Structures are given as C-alpha cells and as structure tokens.
Amino acid sequence: MAVKIKVDMKGVGEKINRIKADEGLGRYLAEQAKKGMEPYVPYRTGKLCKTATVKRPFHVTYPASYARYPFYGSGMNFRKDPHPLATHRWDKAYTAAHKGELARFGTEYLRRG
C-alpha cells in the first residue's frame, strides 16, 4: 500500500530569493571561486590570473584583452609547468573537481550571519 506525503514548501521560494539577492554572499562566493579556479587558468605570464576581478556578486571577470581565446580554446595546448591543471573553460574544470565546495562556502557564510 502506497503512502502519500505532502512536503510543506512554504517560505522556500522567499529564502531562495533572499539568498540570490545577498550581495555579500555573492561577492564572497565569487572570491572563493576566483581562488579555486586559479590552478585551472592557463598561465604564461600570469596576467590572466593576476587581473581576475570580482566587481559584481556571483561574477568573476578576466579583463585581459585575450581572455576569450584561452577560455573558449578547446584543443589548445596549454603550458603545464606553472599550472598543471590549466585548461579551457576553467570554470567547468574547477566545479567538476570540487563538487559542492561553493555550496559549503555559501552555507558557512550564511551560518556566520
């Protein structure tokens, strides 16, 4: 015999909207992502990594004029001596290798209040 359970989701949407609107959280997570992605960013002179910025919540920007080329550069051969994990789409490589890390950072930030 099946059992039917109703889950009370009142307030969940409001909580999610508050979290998405929390600029402090967004900046904190972007800073953590910037640090976490660094080993995956191609490195020749270091300019790409050194100029990475967080100017908006939940966004990391790589303002180097050539940043798009290595970011979308599938099939490129990146030097591995300074950054052995260097690859294109370094955001995806970071999140795949560190599943849940940003969620943990976010949870810790919210718990600290």
Side-chain angles (χ1 to χ4, degrees), residues 29 32-34 36-38 40 87-104:
L29 289 178
Q32 296 307 312
K34 183 177 97 170
M37 287 187 288
E38 188 170 317
Y40 300 90
T87 187
H88 73 292
R89 293 304 307 253
W90 49 85
D91 59 331
K92 303 288 186 209
Y94 163 68
T95 55
H98 300 272
K99 288 188 189 315
E101 186 174 76
L102 289 176
R104 282 192 305 279

Side-chain angles (χ1 to χ4, degrees), residues 54-109:
V54 173
K55 292 184 179 179
R56 295 176 24 207
F58 304 104
H59 290 84
V60 179
T61 302
Y62 293 84
S65 60
Y66 60 89
R68 284 183 178 273
Y69 184 67
F71 185 75
Y72 293 110
S74 179
M76 292 179 68
N77 292 320
F78 298 113
R79 287 179 54 193
K80 300 290 186 176
D81 48 330
H83 281 181
L85 302 172
T87 187
H88 73 292
R89 293 304 307 253
W90 49 85
D91 59 331
K92 303 288 186 209
Y94 163 68
T95 55
H98 300 272
K99 288 188 189 315
E101 186 174 76
L102 289 176
R104 282 192 305 279
F105 288 144
T107 300
E108 291 168 9
Y109 178 91

Side-chain angles (χ1 to χ4, degrees), residues 5 7 11 13 18 27 37 39 43 49-50 52 54 57 67-68 70 75-76 91 95 100-101 111:
I5 299 172
V7 178
R18 275 197 314 271
R27 289 182 185 281
M37 287 187 288
Y43 192 105
C49 285
K50 292 174 189 168
V54 173
R68 284 183 178 273
M76 292 179 68
D91 59 331
T95 55
E101 186 174 76
R111 282 189 181 141

